[in-house]
Amino acid sequence: MEQPVQRSYTRATLDYLGAHYVGAGPETCSYTTQGIQIPMRDGIELAGDFYAPDLPDNQAPAGLILIQCCYGRGAGISFMDARVFAARGFQALLVSTRGTYGSDGIFDPGSNEQSDSQDIVVWMRQQPWYPGSFATLGPSYLGYSQWALLHDPPADCVAAVIPVGPHDHAWHAWGTGSFRLDRASWSDMMSRTDDQRGRLLLSRLSSIPGLGFLRSSELDEAVAGLPLDASLQKYFGDKAPWLFEYLKHPNVDDVYWTPRRHQIALERVKIPILLISGWYDTFTTQTMHQFKHLHGRGVNVRLVVGPWTHVQASGLHSIPEIMDFLAEHLAKTVKYNRFPAHIFITGAQEWRSMPTWPPATRPAVFYLQENSCLGSKQPTQDANPASFVFDPRSPTPSIGGNQMSVGGRVDDSAYANQSDVLTFTSEPLSEDLEVLGVPSVHLIHASDPPFADLFVRLSEVDAQGVSHNITDVYKALDPMREMSHPIRLDLQDCAHLFRVGMRVRLIVAGGSFPMYARSLGTAENRVRSDKTAPQKHIISIAGGVSQLTLPVRAAV
């Protein structure tokens, strides 16, 4: 164990500037940093840094925060997850995940966090500085590590702050029935050396307006190649072996995924939890599921959802909220009386606090109609079906949404001009329509061949005819389905005000690439085959059999 090192003038300056940017408020102290090694049960050691606030002898720290991180312990990561708290009286233990940034072992995403996190807690309890309890913190993969710890919640863990943190790797990779291709770009970053990864992470976080992950042109070509598995293998070689295990196990119930899934944590946890997400985050669906499940159990859980992408929702806009949460549930210096849900309403561009999510709503039904229309009047029984052809050799592009790279709220008007996309658009609204919750679609849908996917999006068209995305869903369809039966697809949660004069648009396509691995239109494995067949999609609309249902704000 190294000797503690006082914060330098340079780091203090960076801390001041960073705190001003994220709205952390004034510092209350300086701090020291101490490098440590933590033994695991199998003999390897994890590297970490312990941050101790410089406080008067008669003043105890505000509490201890545990952070487990696979992205290093450098300036950017350590500021957001440790230093900003240490400079305000908290102890912070920042530990590098197994196989990363000085920690021994092999990095195998999701497989070791459950046992390693328990071993870290055992070690913490033996240290002279341990205060008797702790909270956990960290976004994204750091949030996953928290859920892995909460699989078996330690009695002395008293609170958790989990921004954009998935609890289930299988759900993200294969939950739609198609492989989520951002696993390839993330694996590309994680397969680099520590130095390369650090530089790449910084460049990717600062090089695009949406603050997401960029892919190299070489990786773009690999993702576009068929067969997908072989094309990625050529790009990665012997790097990122976990990616190819992901591709081998499309069944989310496969035993391979068992150590990477922590739904049980949602059943066992009892401590206060702060969940943070963005409407355009990669893991929004899982965060909303976490809140609904925990709130339904009566757990003290608070949900904050902003108009953010993945990185934006990782804490950049939430430090004041996090500080208040830790002051209440870890330091126990204050008590706040706040509603469980704090939600940003897009369209209205305002924050609103609610006693739960989703709030009470009533259904507003829009019927798919001829001539690309959408309306409240049912079409006649002789209305003609709508159709399009999806070509896996030229897949429908992903535009905005919950991507890790170029996602967010974007102009998706281009979909209306594509022959492989159907758009159904309403007349300008005569009154405001506030949508709160989970929109759904019921479609009488057939495809030839039966091997096909559906991508469905809800968008808003403004007075100038420009369309912007609100929410969507992707689903690989069961080829054995009865095509005369309706398909119900629930879109992702949203909170959006359609103002008077705006138009509601429903977009239907057969793919969204490169967000998801395309449907090949054959019975063969979609990641191991290069055989393709165009897929004709037919949607029946006669008599109103296909419809969009919006959960709209109930009358007060």
Side-chain angles (χ1 to χ4, degrees):
M1 187 175 293
E2 300 173 3
Q3 290 299 310
V5 177
Q6 289 286 340
R7 178 173 60 164
S8 67
Y9 176 79
T10 299
R11 176 152 289 190
T13 301
L14 293 174
D15 286 350
Y16 172 81
L17 295 173
H20 178 74
Y21 179 77
V22 300
E27 292 187 356
T28 60
C29 61
S30 187
Y31 59 81
T32 62
T33 308
Q34 183 178 21
I36 49 92
Q37 295 288 321
I38 306 174
M40 299 291 102
R41 68 189 69 179
D42 61 357
I44 76 152
E45 292 188 338
L46 303 185
D49 294 317
F50 175 62
Y51 292 81
D54 287 335
L55 299 170
D57 292 340
N58 63 349
Q59 183 179 345
L64 171 64
I65 304 169
L66 170 62
I67 311 101
Q68 301 175 69
C69 181
C70 64
Y71 302 121
R73 306 189 307 281
I77 295 294
S78 65
F79 169 75
M80 287 296 297
D81 296 310
R83 288 163 24 218
V84 68
F85 302 102
R88 285 152 186 84
F90 292 92
Q91 298 169 310
L93 178 62
L94 176 58
V95 183
S96 286
T97 303
R98 177 183 291 245
T100 70
Y101 294 92
S103 288
D104 298 336
I106 297 173
F107 180 61
D108 184 13
S111 63
N112 296 296
E113 280 72 16
Q114 185 179 342
S115 60
D116 284 355
S117 61
Q118 295 290 340
D119 290 353
I120 294 169
V121 172
V122 169
W123 179 85
M124 286 195 313
R125 292 170 180 154
Q126 300 168 355
Q127 305 312 305
W129 42 257
Y130 184 63
S133 65
F134 68 98
T136 60
L137 180 145
S140 195
Y141 196 97
L142 290 68
Y144 168 80
S145 297
Q146 294 180 69
W147 288 120
L149 172 66
L150 296 174
H151 192 111
D152 296 296
D156 43 352
C157 181
V158 298
V161 178
I162 309 179
V164 296
H167 62 278
D168 189 330
H169 278 207
W171 184 354
H172 184 66
W174 282 104
T176 64
S178 179
F179 186 65
R180 181 86 184 212
L181 287 169
D182 61 12
R183 297 302 80 198
S185 55
W186 181 81
S187 295
D188 183 40
M189 180 184 69
M190 294 305 299
S191 67
R192 308 299 180 98
T193 66
D194 286 349
D195 288 343
Q196 291 173 332
R197 191 184 309 146
R199 291 194 297 270
L200 188 58
L201 180 60
L202 285 175
S203 67
R204 288 174 173 179
L205 294 183
S206 61
S207 58
I208 62 173
L211 292 179
F213 289 82
L214 296 174
R215 287 194 305 268
S216 66
S217 58
E218 293 84 1
L219 181 57
D220 281 338
E221 293 176 4
V223 167
L226 294 175
L228 176 62
D229 183 281
S231 184
L232 289 174
Q233 189 71 65
K234 182 178 179 181
Y235 175 84
F236 281 97
D238 60 358
K239 299 176 181 178
W242 61 82
L243 175 61
F244 301 96
E245 291 299 316
Y246 288 1
L247 293 171
K248 289 178 186 176
H249 298 95
N251 183 351
V252 296
D253 294 321
D254 192 291
V255 67
Y256 168 79
W257 293 108
T258 301
R260 298 165 175 84
R261 310 187 74 187
H262 302 289
Q263 173 68 28
I264 193 65
L266 305 183
E267 306 289 345
R268 294 175 174 174
V269 70
K270 299 178 182 179
I271 61 174
I273 293 182
L274 173 59
L275 300 173
I276 301 171
S277 187
W279 292 127
Y280 313 108
D281 173 39
T282 308
F283 301 113
T284 306
T285 299
Q286 292 201 40
T287 301
M288 305 309 278
H289 171 81
Q290 293 158 12
F291 175 79
K292 293 170 187 177
H293 196 93
L294 294 174
H295 188 68
R297 286 184 50 226
V299 174
N300 183 356
V301 58
R302 179 165 168 82
L303 172 70
V304 176
V305 187
W308 304 320
T309 60
H310 182 68
V311 173
Q312 291 168 340
S314 294
L316 289 176
H317 302 286
S318 305
I319 288 295
E321 179 88 26
I322 294 171
M323 288 289 184
D324 288 349
F325 181 85
L326 292 174
E328 178 172 5
H329 298 293
L330 181 59
K332 301 187 184 302
T333 55
V334 294
K335 186 168 181 61
Y336 297 97
N337 184 20
R338 292 179 173 174
F339 283 106
H342 192 50
I343 305 297
F344 187 85
I345 313 297
T346 57
Q349 304 304 106
E350 67 180 28
W351 286 94
R352 195 175 304 160
S353 293
M354 305 177 184
T356 189
W357 176 266
T361 57
R362 61 175 177 83
V365 177
F366 289 78
Y367 298 99
L368 280 62
Q369 304 187 18
E370 290 184 293
N371 301 316
S372 301
C373 293
L374 189 69
S376 58
K377 183 179 179 180
Q378 287 185 326
T380 62
Q381 290 294 340
D382 61 354
N384 293 317
S387 66
F388 66 92
V389 175
F390 173 79
D391 182 359
R393 293 287 176 176
S394 181
T396 311
S398 303
I399 303 177
N402 297 76
Q403 301 185 66
M404 193 171 278
S405 54
V406 287
R409 181 182 184 273
V410 301
D411 179 349
D412 63 3
S413 305
Y415 279 138
N417 300 318
Q418 293 200 192
S419 61
D420 59 350
V421 176
L422 294 176
T423 58
F424 300 88
T425 308
S426 74
E427 293 296 318
L429 296 174
S430 59
E431 59 182 16
D432 288 352
L433 192 70
E434 187 168 272
V435 180
L436 302 170
V438 178
S440 64
V441 293
H442 287 72
L443 301 175
I444 297 296
H445 171 275
S447 66
D448 183 22
F451 309 97
D453 296 354
L454 275 176
F455 172 71
V456 177
R457 169 174 285 181
L458 175 67
S459 291
E460 176 185 69
V461 182
D462 64 22
Q464 288 72 45
V466 179
S467 174
H468 288 91
N469 55 301
I470 298 170
T471 183
D472 50 50
V473 65
Y474 194 95
K475 182 67 175 177
L477 302 177
D478 181 357
M480 303 301 292
R481 68 193 183 278
E482 176 52 63
M483 294 191 189
S484 63
H485 293 173
I487 294 173
R488 172 177 172 142
L489 295 176
D490 290 334
L491 284 70
Q492 182 180 277
D493 291 72
C494 66
H496 183 78
L497 176 64
F498 289 90
R499 293 195 180 275
V500 171
M502 297 296 187
R503 291 183 288 166
V504 179
R505 171 168 287 175
L506 185 70
I507 296 168
V508 182
S512 178
F513 183 84
M515 189 184 291
Y516 296 98
R518 74 201 87 176
S519 167
L520 301 181
T522 72
E524 298 186 42
N525 188 303
R526 73 173 62 209
V527 303
R528 295 183 181 175
S529 176
D530 61 355
K531 294 183 173 62
T532 65
Q535 302 135 49
K536 183 173 183 179
H537 292 250
I538 303 171
I539 296 178
S540 299
I541 61 178
V545 293
S546 293
Q547 55 193 252
L548 164 69
T549 301
L550 300 179
V552 302
R553 187 180 185 184
V556 179

